[in-house]
Amino acid sequence: MTEIAVVGGGLSGCLLACVLAQRGEKVVLYERRADPREGTAERGRSINLALSERGLNALRRVGLAERVLTDALPMRGRMIHPVAGDLDFQSYSADGTRAINSISRGALNNVLLDAAAKAVDIRFEHRLTGLDPGSGEMVFDTPGGPARGRAELVFGADGAGSAVRGELLRHDATAETLDFLDYGYKELTIPARDGEFALDPGALHIWPRGRSMMIALPNPDKSFTCTLFWPNSGTGAFASLSSPAAIERFFADVYPDVPPLAPDLVSDYQHNPVGLLGTVRCTSWHSGRACLIGDAAHAIVPFYGQGANCAFEDVVVLDECLRRTGGDWTATLPLFESSRRADTEAIARMALANFIEMRDKVASPLFRLGQRVEHTLERLLPGRYVSRYELVSFTNTPYAQVRRRVRAQHGALAVGLGAAATLAGGVAKAWRRP
């Protein structure tokens, strides 16, 4: 039995604690917040999650997948909202049956906390202020004053702003790169209308506007959580709208179908905070007795809906590495990093690319044509041709392998189309000969 500290009681920290407890390890889970199950969520910070196969695969390991899905709503495609004209539904899968699942971060975290509380010791209101990665000695700031702890192994599962990563940096045990976008996010709400959904609950709604966009995900209470992804500077940026009149005028012009559905639009816009968007990379995820996991090691932008799914998959990979090493942590930590690094870099790149697709390309006729061609190929070549989106969202194919396979598929398709064009040209020439 290894004494393990998990710092961070969010999604990946709770799942990790449960998986380690199943393996017979002695785990203490430290969380800087008070117990979120006993309070209210921070305003404008929920960001609904799109839970897909990778996340569900991880949750099955601790018997929580079915429980979590009772709080989720399946979304089988994107619903595109143009400035003018009809809505356009774009299915995520060739057969139209596969779905990603909308769930609130808070609801999912509460389910995981309940499970963790049955398996490990949880200490809330413990904010990490010091860590010696060599000895596993920890110092926490608590309401009762400084507190100390020690563990044979310390996992930093404390998110993109990880205090554990900060301590590794302080000890020169890693280096980090923070690539922030010149974009931020802000949440709005579309409430239920006459007790029903104001929009189709079976879709992820997107308002693509070139340099910016808004999305909306359904909630079980029949509301929608909307998220604006706008530039931080320039025209149409968060900073450019200050007065209620300016906010109302801008939404009437750019998102004309939203104001009638969002009675608290101006209040939400003025009072909900603007969050940061960026990618975190580290030169090393582990040193001595400390290891980073999830967003603490490799935070990504949210535009593929894979942040939580990727972090959950980290726990699966770590568990598999432990099985391969027979529970030898000295061998497991470097194996975990080497097994996972290429995949986390691959999804970081795909998430950035998908931002451009969502805010701009999904509204174009050429994109819609390409999507129809892909779905046709998937039906004609089942299992042989699979789109990037389906591989990422509906399989557990490693992210790096997804990128390689998609490049190979596109290359083969280009060769095939080229050969067909050459053949057609040859036939046409032969037909024209006297």
Side-chain angles (χ1 to χ4, degrees):
M1 179 186 295
T2 306
E3 293 187 354
I4 300 175
V6 175
V7 179
L11 303 180
S12 59
C14 287
L15 179 64
L16 176 61
C18 290
V19 168
L20 293 176
Q22 279 187 342
R23 296 186 60 85
E25 312 289 13
K26 181 180 179 181
V27 181
V28 179
L29 179 61
Y30 296 94
E31 169 55 42
R32 64 177 178 81
R33 302 168 296 172
D35 189 339
R37 296 169 296 178
E38 300 176 358
T40 57
E42 184 179 358
R43 178 169 184 162
R45 291 294 195 191
S46 66
I47 291 200
N48 279 35
L49 302 172
L51 187 65
S52 55
E53 171 55 27
R54 296 171 198 272
L56 291 171
N57 179 52
L59 291 168
R60 291 185 196 109
R61 298 200 169 212
V62 292
L64 292 178
E66 290 187 9
R67 168 66 185 85
V68 164
L69 286 175
T70 63
D71 293 324
L73 292 167
M75 303 178 294
R76 292 183 170 80
R78 300 162 168 164
M79 187 70 78
I80 309 303
H81 294 246
V83 176
D86 296 332
L87 301 182
D88 176 33
F89 180 78
Q90 300 175 0
S91 175
Y92 283 137
S93 62
D95 62 8
T97 63
R98 291 182 168 179
I100 58 177
N101 301 281
S102 173
I103 186 169
S104 81
R105 180 181 294 273
L108 180 55
N109 201 171
N110 287 349
V111 170
L112 285 162
L113 276 170
D114 286 342
K118 297 174 182 177
V120 306
D121 178 14
I122 305 180
R123 300 179 187 178
F124 293 103
E125 297 184 279
H126 275 62
R127 183 173 64 86
L128 184 77
T129 58
L131 167 65
D132 182 345
S135 67
E137 298 282 347
M138 298 169 288
V139 180
F140 298 92
D141 182 21
T142 77
R148 293 185 175 274
R150 185 187 179 282
E152 296 175 65
L153 188 61
V154 179
F155 275 99
D158 49 343
S162 171
V164 175
R165 188 175 74 247
E167 289 299 300
L168 292 181
L169 289 168
R170 188 169 67 86
H171 285 85
D172 296 322
T174 191
E176 68 178 6
T177 302
L178 308 177
D179 294 325
F180 288 106
L181 297 181
D182 186 27
Y183 280 79
Y185 70 87
K186 181 189 287 281
E187 288 196 350
L188 308 173
T189 300
I190 292 178
R193 172 181 280 187
D194 299 325
E196 297 297 331
F197 287 103
L199 300 169
D200 182 351
L204 187 155
H205 295 258
I206 307 178
W207 288 256
R209 296 299 184 262
R211 287 187 66 237
S212 63
M213 69 174 179
M214 185 175 85
I215 67 171
L217 280 74
N219 298 308
D221 67 359
K222 300 188 177 180
S223 68
F224 281 81
T225 298
C226 308
T227 309
L228 300 169
F229 295 101
W230 288 4
N232 289 321
S233 58
T235 304
F238 288 115
S240 66
L241 301 181
S242 55
S243 70
I247 296 167
E248 291 172 348
R249 184 168 56 250
F250 184 85
F251 275 84
D253 291 341
V254 181
Y255 305 95
D257 58 338
V258 173
L261 304 176
D264 296 325
L265 170 64
V266 172
S267 176
D268 283 349
Y269 186 92
Q270 289 184 317
H271 294 102
N272 288 351
V274 176
L276 297 174
L277 295 167
T279 303
V280 174
R281 294 179 175 90
C282 299
T283 57
S284 177
W285 296 354
H286 66 93
S287 177
R289 297 178 182 272
C291 182
L292 303 172
I293 194 167
D295 283 357
H298 50 72
I300 62 175
V301 294
F303 304 115
Y304 226 122
Q306 286 295 301
N309 292 290
C310 179
F312 282 171
E313 193 173 58
D314 275 6
V315 178
V316 172
V317 173
L318 178 69
D319 192 34
E320 291 173 350
C321 289
L322 274 168
R323 294 179 191 279
R324 289 170 60 185
T325 65
D328 179 357
W329 282 107
T330 302
T332 294
L333 297 187
L335 179 62
F336 165 63
E337 180 171 349
S338 64
S339 300
R340 192 65 175 143
R341 184 176 283 279
D343 291 324
T344 59
E345 179 59 28
I347 190 57
R349 292 178 181 274
M350 287 190 286
L352 286 167
N354 210 48
F355 181 32
I356 298 171
E357 179 175 302
M358 290 177 71
R359 78 186 192 203
D360 190 6
K361 294 182 180 180
V362 293
S364 75
L366 185 61
F367 176 87
R368 294 197 294 272
L369 175 61
Q371 191 176 53
R372 287 196 293 272
V373 169
E374 280 208 319
H375 285 172
T376 299
L377 288 170
E378 287 177 302
R379 288 190 290 269
L380 293 174
L381 303 169
R384 294 170 59 193
Y385 188 99
V386 186
S387 71
R388 177 189 288 110
Y389 193 91
E390 291 208 38
L391 287 168
V392 168
S393 298
F394 304 131
T395 79
N396 294 300
T397 305
Y399 292 121
Q401 187 177 325
V402 169
R403 293 191 81 205
R404 292 193 297 270
R405 176 170 176 171
V406 169
R407 282 197 298 267
Q409 287 179 168
H410 289 175
L413 181 60
V415 170
L417 290 173
T422 300
L423 178 62
V427 170
K429 286 181 181 179
W431 182 261
R432 289 196 297 269
R433 290 172 185 163

